[in-house]
Amino acid sequence: MRTRRGSYYSASALVAGEAVACSEERTKRKRAAGGDSAPEGGELAVAGSGRRRQRVQAMEESNLFDGLPDDLVLCILSKLSSTASCPSDFISVLSTCRRFNGLGLQPLVLSRASSRTFAVRARKWSDSPHRFLKLCADAGNVEACYTLGMIRFYCLQNRRSGASLMAQAAIKSHAPSLYSLAVIRFNGSGGSKNDKDLRAGVALCARAAFLGHIDALRELGHCLQDGYGIRQNVTEGRRFLVQANARELAAVLSSTNAASLLAWTPHGGSASGTLPPRRQGAGAGCPLLSDFGCNVPAPEPHPANRFLYEWFACRGCPEGSGLRMCSHAGCGRSETRKHEFRRCSVCGTVNYCSRACQALDWKLRHKANCAPLEMWDGEVNAGAGGGNGDEAIAAS
């Protein structure tokens, strides 16, 4: 064949070109039919995964954490457990590797865990968080002893074990445990009405008040004012109430969002001044002299109290529907027998495990909803005064 330049293709060149074209055509057909290309791709994939496996193995062999001494890792894990804001912060670290999991469950780490580290929610309660709380309690963690003690006493109805755990924390001067044991003594919780021990309740409350527990200070002040379990001393009782109000206000002022908290108004009122009228004796004048504290938001509930509230909100009160919960939402305690808690002497529709819960609920909610006894129907009004075994608790 002649070209433009006048030269000719040789016969051998033509034959070679046709052979190459045929070979390329056959290759295209095999690829389209999935012939030779599939094994080549599979071999490449296997080779790629093998290289990745080698890189991961090399990284594991060169892990820098393995070179850290155990003492340093324990120190880091202890700091993490004491500052964790939720359980997942600590659990995610334990699941990083086997070494962290083993060192993270050492008593040195668990004994310093904060209450937020094991603040499990009631809907997620199972054997695993129960075992973790037990490990922390066995390591000497007072917050774990208190939390697990409250759960066992009120939720799991294991009164003896729950009280024993709270007593272990109380021995180590844990103020919430001392106050909770005082509430149990005041109400005779877990027993009959004859099991009330007012003197022991006052002694436990005084110890918690000495440690600066605000609710214990307020409870002790009311006991002294009313002569409840102790010789009446109105002046000393007023002093404890003023001290409780001062500590409550100081706690709000020392918080980071003090400005927004001071602008807070109770029971849905606005800062412009549309509040319900005050009752006489309910703290008119200087808030530090009030029986119910300053008009500041309630503190964040302890994880144990929040667990109790969620538990009974989801599952209801144990041992029948006749039992009631404390009307203060931040408490979560439930009666262990009928008519254990004292009710409001004005309306009789709410009940409280302690005067401290009554004081908090009064300024947060009940002050705007409390109606006098004259609003009751005739039958209840005729038999008013605690004929069902309740004790009345003054609202003002």
Side-chain angles (χ1 to χ4, degrees):
M1 179 180 291
R2 188 180 179 123
T3 64
R4 284 185 179 179
R5 296 182 180 179
S7 58
Y8 291 85
Y9 286 117
S10 62
S12 60
L14 291 174
V15 173
E18 291 177 357
V20 171
C22 292
S23 177
E24 292 177 354
E25 186 67 18
R26 284 195 303 270
T27 303
K28 290 180 180 179
R29 290 177 182 176
K30 288 181 180 180
R31 289 180 178 177
D36 296 338
S37 60
E40 294 177 359
E43 292 175 359
L44 291 175
V46 172
S49 62
R51 287 193 295 269
R52 286 194 298 271
R53 194 180 302 110
Q54 291 176 359
R55 287 197 297 268
V56 172
Q57 186 177 1
M59 292 176 62
E60 291 179 351
E61 292 177 354
S62 62
N63 191 357
L64 298 179
F65 284 113
D66 293 338
L68 295 176
D70 289 348
D71 293 344
L72 180 59
V73 177
L74 285 173
C75 181
I76 296 173
L77 292 176
S78 300
K79 182 66 175 179
L80 175 64
S81 66
S82 62
T83 58
S85 59
C86 61
S88 59
D89 290 347
F90 185 65
I91 299 300
S92 59
V93 174
L94 297 186
S95 59
T96 301
C97 63
R98 185 177 301 177
R99 186 184 182 209
F100 280 9
N101 189 20
L103 294 177
L105 297 179
Q106 293 293 321
L108 177 62
V109 178
L110 298 179
S111 63
R112 300 182 181 180
S114 65
S115 59
R116 295 177 181 269
T117 304
F118 39 77
V120 63
R121 309 307 291 261
R123 63 178 181 273
K124 297 182 178 180
W125 179 255
S126 63
D127 291 337
S128 296
H130 196 171
R131 286 195 300 269
F132 181 70
L133 269 173
K134 185 65 168 60
L135 287 175
C136 295
D138 292 341
N141 191 310
V142 293
E143 285 289 346
C145 289
Y146 171 66
T147 302
L148 185 57
M150 290 281 284
I151 293 174
R152 286 185 175 179
F153 189 90
Y154 288 102
C155 300
L156 305 182
Q157 302 179 44
N158 191 345
R159 317 293 187 194
R160 185 185 299 273
S161 176
S164 176
L165 285 170
M166 285 187 279
Q168 292 179 25
I171 291 174
K172 298 180 180 180
S173 299
H174 187 249
S177 297
L178 287 164
Y179 177 69
S180 293
L181 291 174
V183 173
I184 291 174
R185 291 294 188 180
F186 280 135
N187 298 321
S189 301
S192 65
K193 189 176 180 179
N194 297 328
D195 292 327
K196 292 183 178 181
D197 192 343
L198 304 185
R199 294 176 63 88
V202 170
L204 291 167
C205 206
R207 177 60 180 168
F210 175 77
L211 297 173
H213 196 270
I214 297 175
D215 290 343
L217 283 167
R218 187 166 286 124
E219 189 78 21
L220 184 60
H222 285 295
C223 288
L224 286 167
Q225 281 197 141
D226 303 336
Y228 188 72
I230 193 173
R231 186 175 180 179
Q232 187 175 18
N233 190 332
V234 178
T235 303
E236 192 71 10
R238 295 299 304 170
R239 185 178 72 84
F240 279 108
L241 290 176
V242 171
Q243 186 177 353
N245 297 338
R247 283 183 173 271
E248 184 181 43
L249 184 59
V252 174
L253 294 177
S254 63
S255 61
T256 55
N257 54 343
S260 60
L261 292 178
L262 290 177
W264 173 85
T265 53
H267 39 260
S270 63
S272 58
T274 58
L275 294 178
R278 286 183 178 269
R279 293 184 183 272
Q280 294 295 328
C286 179
L288 290 177
L289 302 179
S290 170
D291 287 356
F292 304 99
C294 306
N295 284 335
V296 294
E300 182 181 358
H302 191 279
N305 298 97
R306 186 178 62 187
F307 183 95
L308 297 185
Y309 182 82
E310 294 177 353
W311 178 277
F312 293 118
C314 297
R315 311 190 184 197
C317 292
E319 302 177 6
S321 58
L323 301 181
R324 306 167 298 183
M325 289 185 61
C326 180
S327 297
H328 176 44
C331 175
R333 291 180 176 89
S334 170
E335 290 182 325
T336 59
R337 67 176 187 279
K338 290 186 178 181
H339 314 305
E340 176 182 335
F341 293 163
R342 294 172 291 176
R343 65 181 182 179
C344 177
S345 62
V346 176
C347 66
T349 59
V350 294
N351 46 87
Y352 303 101
C353 66
S354 62
R355 291 296 297 265
C357 286
Q358 186 254 349
L360 285 173
D361 191 61
W362 171 260
K363 67 180 181 180
L364 294 174
R365 180 187 62 87
H366 188 54
K367 181 179 179 181
N369 303 328
C370 188
L373 292 174
E374 288 76 8
M375 301 293 293
W376 294 11
D377 55 30
E379 180 180 357
V380 176
N381 195 20
N388 57 0
D390 290 348
E391 293 184 40
I393 186 170
S396 60

